[in-house]
């Protein structure tokens, strides 16, 4: 089914869902209701009417060979109580990917226990595919970030530029020039108005996302800056550098607030917990360190990787640290107890890890040119996304968890999701 057709169907589903929200369970699921088409009389049935026959009529339409009709029949099934709900749950096992996805989308609004159980077993990522590919950078893409509204992508490249694009259309909104060398990391402030970038030129730059204007340059590291993160309050920046240090900055003034020292090699990844109090850093010294952002105290050092730690992320629940390494593994740890679990599956360096908003899903990008989606608890690989012809150096997930964006050494940005 084409994207436009699917969109129209889903729009109609949304209208139906609003109606369903106000509909009480009928006593007899097979008895025609006010939204059914009834034979006889002079009045015309409503355009969105269910075929005569109540739930049995819905089941007949669901048996159609036309996918769009089957999807619309599923939504109508929700008008018929438990029996209709059971039909939608059963549709999660349908042979049609479109029908499965429609059933999944409808059930997300339901709170019944049996729905929760069914959704726990369902893997929506099995339907992910490459929706769009964006070109424009002339060299390797090292970093991508998604704005909080889920509508804008920012990317940084070894071509020394930052590009701002519309996520859906791919339209180039701005190209930012100012760094004098490779750009390793970009992040977007929680208000969606500010970009922060860092570079091999040892500087950090702050930009206006809307206008593309360079607002200020932060200098203080003595060597390349590999990673930046912004605190949830939007007031603080944290950076990791080849000078083995982490610096904490005031975003507005550009003032360096403190320097955290303790790693014995390059600090290539930093992340800030949603509480705004905790920093996690990953280093070429094969360790992860947890820091107090206010005092600068190192709270603990986590070992376990046998090679460089390339990427770290903190789950939205604030309890879990994820790390990706050149040892080809992903490690999952409890931030308080340090309990360790190892996930294996990539055949080369894991260059980037991200955690979905539900805190249950990991997305990883690797030098093996693939993106993998994992269950954070079981370590099961839910799907492998293939399409890049170079190392996937950066992955990001939209705030609604429904779209993945990747940046690669093949100079392409790819958007992955359900067509």
């Amino acid at each position: 089914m084409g994207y436009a057709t699917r969109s129209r169907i889903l729009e109609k589903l949304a209208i139906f869902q609003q109606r369903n929200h106000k509909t009480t369970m009928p006593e007899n699921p097979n008895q025609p209701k006010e939204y059914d088409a009834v034979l006889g009389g002079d009045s015309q049935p409503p355009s969105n009417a269910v075929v005569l026959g109540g739930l049995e009529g819905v089941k007949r339409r669901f048996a159609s060979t036309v996918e769009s009709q089957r999807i619309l029949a599923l939504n109508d099934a929700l008008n018929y109580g438990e029996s209709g709900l059971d039909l939608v749950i059963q549709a999660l096992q349908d042979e049609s990917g479109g029908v499965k996805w429609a059933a999944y989308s409808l059930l997300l609004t339901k709170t019944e226990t049996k729905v929760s159980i069914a959704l726990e077993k369902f893997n929506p990522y099995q339907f992910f595919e490459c929706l769009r590919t964006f070109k424009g950078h002339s060299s390797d893409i090292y970093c991508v970030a998604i704005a909080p509204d889920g509508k804008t992508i920012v990317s940084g490249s070894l071509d020394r530029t930052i590009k701002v694009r519309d996520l859906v259309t791919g339209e180039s909104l701005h190209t930012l020039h100012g760094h004098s060398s490779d750009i390793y990391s970009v992040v977007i402030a929680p208000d969606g108005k500010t970009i922060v970038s860092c570079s091999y030129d040892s500087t950090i730059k702050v930009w206006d996302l809307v206008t593309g204007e360079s607002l200020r340059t932060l200098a203080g590291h003595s060597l390349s800056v590999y990673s930046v993160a912004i605190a949830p309050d939007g007031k603080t920046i944290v950076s990791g550098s080849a000078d083995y240090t982490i610096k904490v900055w005031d975003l507005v003034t550009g003032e360096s607030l403190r320097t955290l020292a303790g790693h014995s090699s390059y600090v290539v990844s930093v992340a800030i917990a949603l509480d705004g109090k905790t920093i996690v850093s990953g280093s070429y010294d094969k360790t992860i360190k947890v820091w107090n952002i206010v005092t600068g105290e190192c709270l603990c050092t986590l070992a376990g990787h046998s090679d460089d730690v390339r990427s770290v992320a903190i789950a939205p629940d604030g309890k879990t640290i994820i790390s990706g390494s050149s040892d080809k593994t992903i490690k999952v740890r409890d931030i308080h107890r340090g309990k360790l679990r190892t996930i294996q599956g990539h055949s080369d360096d894991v260059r980037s890890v991200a955690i979905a908003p539900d805190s249950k899903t990991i997305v990883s990008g690797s030098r093996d040119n693939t993106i993998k989606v994992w269950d954070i608890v079981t370590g099961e690989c839910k799907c492998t996304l293939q399409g890049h012809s170079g190392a996937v150096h950066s992955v990001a997930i939209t705030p609604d968890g429904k779209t993945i964006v990747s940046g690669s050494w093949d100079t392409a940005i790819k958007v992955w999701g359900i067509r």
Side-chain angles (χ1 to χ4, degrees):
M1 179 186 305
Y3 179 76
T5 301
R6 177 68 52 77
S7 297
R8 289 194 296 271
I9 291 171
L10 292 181
E11 286 175 5
K12 193 167 186 179
L13 288 179
I15 295 172
F16 281 171
Q17 284 175 318
Q18 293 177 3
R19 182 192 66 198
N20 294 341
H21 182 71
K22 299 177 181 179
T23 303
T24 57
M25 281 189 183
E27 295 179 1
N28 183 352
N30 287 318
Q31 186 68 29
K33 303 299 168 186
E34 69 275 7
Y35 35 78
D36 290 335
V38 181
L39 297 180
D42 297 327
S43 61
Q44 294 295 319
S47 60
N48 60 353
V50 178
V51 172
L52 178 65
L55 182 58
E56 288 307 313
V58 171
K59 288 181 178 179
R60 286 197 296 273
R61 285 196 298 130
F62 185 66
S64 168
T65 58
V66 180
E67 187 184 68
S68 60
Q69 290 299 317
R70 303 184 70 215
I71 290 172
L72 293 174
L74 274 184
N75 184 83
D76 291 329
L78 293 180
N79 292 306
Y80 296 98
E82 292 293 325
S83 298
L85 184 61
D86 289 340
L87 178 63
V88 180
I89 292 174
Q90 292 167 15
L92 290 174
Q93 308 303 320
D94 199 85
E95 293 182 357
S96 163
V99 170
K100 286 181 182 178
W101 183 252
Y104 173 71
S105 300
L106 289 168
L107 291 173
L108 286 176
T109 64
K110 301 300 178 182
T111 59
E112 290 86 343
T113 300
K114 63 181 177 182
V115 172
S116 299
I117 293 172
L119 292 181
E120 282 291 329
K121 299 177 181 178
F122 185 75
N123 172 22
Y125 295 98
Q126 65 187 296
F127 304 112
F128 270 45
E129 58 183 291
C130 183
L131 304 179
R132 294 173 284 281
T133 298
F134 303 145
K135 288 282 194 174
H137 284 293
S138 61
S139 189
D140 304 356
I141 297 172
Y142 259 59
C143 47
V144 292
I146 303 171
D149 64 6
K151 298 178 180 179
T152 307
I153 304 171
V154 175
S155 57
S157 168
L158 300 196
D159 66 11
R160 305 181 184 183
T161 70
I162 297 163
K163 291 188 178 292
V164 183
R165 295 177 180 275
D166 183 288
L167 186 149
V168 175
T169 66
E171 178 187 0
S172 180
L173 305 177
H174 302 291
T175 297
L176 313 183
H177 299 271
H179 282 294
S180 61
S181 193
D182 309 341
I183 296 163
Y184 288 130
S185 180
V186 291
V187 288
I188 303 173
D191 64 6
K193 299 178 181 179
T194 306
I195 301 168
V196 178
S197 61
C198 66
S199 168
Y200 188 80
D201 65 14
S202 78
T203 69
I204 299 164
K205 289 186 178 291
V206 182
W207 314 78
D208 185 299
L209 185 148
V210 177
T211 66
E213 177 188 2
S214 177
L215 302 178
R216 66 191 64 88
T217 299
L218 284 56
H221 284 292
S222 59
L223 292 171
S224 310
V225 186
Y226 284 114
S227 181
V228 286
I230 301 179
D233 64 6
K235 298 177 180 179
T236 307
I237 304 171
V238 171
S239 58
S241 170
D243 65 12
Y244 302 2
T245 71
I246 298 158
K247 287 186 179 292
V248 182
W249 311 79
D250 183 294
L251 175 59
V252 177
T253 67
E255 177 188 2
S256 177
L257 303 177
R258 61 193 60 86
T259 299
L260 316 183
H263 280 294
S264 59
S265 189
Y266 299 174
V267 181
V268 294
S269 184
V270 291
I272 304 174
L274 284 181
D275 64 7
K277 300 176 182 178
T278 307
I279 302 169
V280 173
S281 57
S283 169
Y284 277 13
D285 66 13
K286 306 175 188 179
T287 71
I288 297 162
K289 290 183 181 290
V290 182
W291 312 80
N292 182 298
I293 197 170
V294 176
T295 67
E297 175 189 4
C298 180
L299 305 176
C300 64
T301 298
L302 305 174
H305 281 295
S306 60
D307 209 332
D308 307 338
V309 178
R310 290 281 185 167
S311 180
V312 293
I314 307 173
D317 62 14
K319 300 177 181 178
T320 308
I321 299 172
I322 308 296
S323 55
S325 169
S326 294
D327 66 11
K328 307 176 187 178
T329 71
I330 298 164
K331 292 192 182 292
V332 183
R333 307 168 192 264
D334 183 286
I335 197 169
H336 301 296
R337 295 177 294 173
K339 186 177 179 181
L340 179 65
R341 182 166 65 260
T342 300
I343 296 175
Q344 296 178 306
H346 282 295
S347 60
D348 210 328
D349 302 0
V350 179
R351 292 286 176 141
S352 180
V353 291
I355 306 176
D358 63 4
S359 293
K360 298 178 181 179
T361 306
I362 302 168
V363 176
S364 59
S366 170
R367 195 168 179 173
D368 65 13
N369 302 356
T370 72
I371 299 153
K372 289 183 180 289
V373 181
W374 313 84
D375 184 291
I376 201 169
V377 175
T378 66
E380 175 191 1
C381 182
K382 295 185 174 184
C383 75
T384 299
L385 305 177
Q386 301 183 67
H388 281 295
S389 59
V392 181
H393 202 275
S394 184
V395 291
I397 309 171
T398 52
D400 62 9
K402 295 181 179 180
T403 306
I404 297 169
V405 174
S406 56
S408 169
W409 290 2
D410 63 10
T411 74
I413 295 169
K414 289 184 179 292
V415 179
W416 311 81
I418 304 297
R419 192 173 298 279

